[in-house]
Amino acid sequence: MIVTKFGGTSMADAGQFRKVRNIILDDPERRVVVVSAPGRRYKGDTKVTDLLYTLYMHLQYSVPYEDIWQMIAQKYTDIARDLGLSDSINMELEAIHSELRRQIDQNYLISRGEFLAARLMSEYLGFPFIDAQELIRFSYDGKVDQAITDEAIAHAAERMERFVIPGFYGAYPNGDICLFSRGGSDITGAYLTRGLGAKIYENWTDVSGVLAADPRVVDNPRIISNITYAELREMSYMGANVLHEESVSPVADRNININIRNTNEPKEEGTLIQNECDGGPIITGITGMKDFVSFDITKEHLANEVGFVRKVLEIFERYKVNVEHLPTGIDTVSVIVAASSVNHCMYDIVSGIERTLEAQVSVRRDISLLAVVGRNMAGKVGVCSRLFSALAGANISVKMIAQSPDETNIMIGLDNSDYEKATRALYSNFLDCGWL
Ligand code: ASP
């Protein structure tokens, strides 16, 4: 069995629904279909989930809300009309509309995006509908109760051979709706895949897989055909957005693979994500992010002071700031953090370090971090040499260097203004020598 999940752009209009149906009909193993709420049909369009959040704010502040409601409702009625479906969606819409006047629960309202999409898809495919409230079970702490969820899914599989289910939400023990974080339909698909023991989790989206570099920076980057879960995590942490990160462990734990596919190009094989991959290029991908800040801390004889770094880190912890990197010299240590995480406490941290540790601190802003990721870099001679020659060739100065202990990630700090140039220089250099 294959569990399929279709993201918002795959659900955006009747044309996309038709593509989904062709994909499902193409392989009888595709028996479980998880859907997102309709996403953008074109640039500038608004996703249903965003409209629902706006609607909820209007209700909260008693601002007229009929226009927004109409925009939402029309997305569904247009799809139903264009596909020649029954008018049962109108009844569902009317039931929700009538509840808007009462104190509607926020999670319930937001979850209706996926609920209505799954209703339409179930009718269109002729597969039974099952509500995610029945299968995805949360504890009151907002975490999925794995055992109850697995049991509910196994029970559903005994009753139904195939079904359509809304993504993004489930229920607390008392039946109230609980949402995953944004993009959470990916997680629903992962729990179903695991609970059903499916052979693969197909995640259908609008790109043909994980790209080897950011397409806004590099023209037409390669699609990565095979990537490990660990590499994907490194790529995603540093900015490559493909899957919701919480969707990995439910399937990786069971050694099930995820296949990222493109609803608009169903013939393309996409990216296969596995615990272990054989072969493949030296470099899997290049990724990164801008806007980090470096707190450069200097003190004479710092290298001999036991506990110095701990005391520095405690100050960052006090302000709940996540530390990204910690390059050290003999009498200096730098703490690199995301700029957005210290906006509110930058000066408190500087004065805290100066006071408590009697050290000098200078702050460098506008730093970007670029990561070169590849399982096959481990033990390979000459990777750093090629990397730094490529940067030197592009006249780029390196501000920081770090390599993960397993040699699968080399991270370099640069000026924000050099980020794009550096990414392109590395990408074309690695591509030209056949390493990417
Ligand atoms: N519709 C939700 C969102 O926009 C969940 C999802 O699509 O995965 O975040």
Side-chain angles (χ1 to χ4, degrees), residues 10 51 104 112 120 139 162 189 191 217 303 342 345 358 383 397 425:
S10 307
L51 289 172
I104 195 164
R112 296 305 87 185
L120 287 179
S139 336
R162 50 194 72 215
Y191 279 108
V217 179
V342 282
C345 58
E358 292 168 2
V383 176
S397 154

Side-chain angles (χ1 to χ4, degrees), residues 59-79:
L59 294 167
Q60 282 297 91
Y61 292 105
S62 306
V63 175
Y65 57 80
E66 280 303 326
D67 286 355
I68 297 193
W69 170 253
Q70 282 312 325
M71 281 167 79
I72 297 167
Q74 193 166 351
K75 294 218 187 209
Y76 295 97
T77 51
D78 282 355
I79 295 172

